[in-house]
Amino acid sequence: MLEYKAARYGRTFDRVDRWFPSTRRCSDCGRITSKMALNVREWDCPCGSHHDRDVNAAINIKAAGQADFNDRGAQVRPGLVPAPRGEAVTHPGVACSPRSVEGISVL
């Protein structure tokens, strides 16, 4: 899904190696710790950083992708993409709508 959606919006899609140690590598110092059981959700690095396993992996995967794009000479941050016409519509009169929000009348 991500691959075809990236192509649709003119983005670059690339895969990170399956064996990339994204959860075990400290996103602060780069040290790779020993293997952890899957039930370990948080861990402390010897450098003093405390990591949530999923957040740390996301930071490492993002950094790996940006480093890969930099090696190819591409822009790290993609350019602005204009919103589709139907998505950028503002509706006049929304602020004074007579509808209620969670049972509280606006008027």
Side-chain angles (χ1 to χ4, degrees):
M1 279 182 138
L2 290 176
E3 196 165 0
Y4 85 81
K5 287 184 179 186
R8 179 191 303 168
Y9 294 108
R11 304 294 183 173
T12 304
F13 177 83
D14 201 7
R15 297 177 193 268
V16 175
D17 181 29
R18 178 180 181 178
W19 304 111
F20 178 71
S22 60
T23 59
R24 298 185 299 129
R25 176 175 286 173
C26 175
S27 57
D28 291 333
C29 71
R31 179 179 288 149
I32 299 175
T33 60
S34 59
K35 295 211 176 217
M36 294 180 264
L38 290 175
N39 66 346
V40 177
R41 304 313 306 161
E42 296 181 352
W43 58 278
D44 293 313
C45 179
C47 75
S49 299
H50 179 76
H51 297 290
D52 176 272
R53 188 174 182 146
D54 297 330
V55 173
N56 184 59
I59 292 168
N60 286 330
I61 290 170
K62 181 180 178 184
Q66 288 177 339
D68 191 32
F69 289 139
N70 278 338
D71 289 346
R72 295 180 194 158
Q75 226 181 358
V76 172
R77 180 167 293 179
L80 295 176
V81 176
R85 182 128 178 99
E87 195 175 281
V89 176
T90 56
H91 300 282
V94 170
C96 58
S97 173
R99 296 184 191 176
S100 62
V101 177
E102 294 183 19
I104 301 171
S105 179
V106 178
L107 296 176

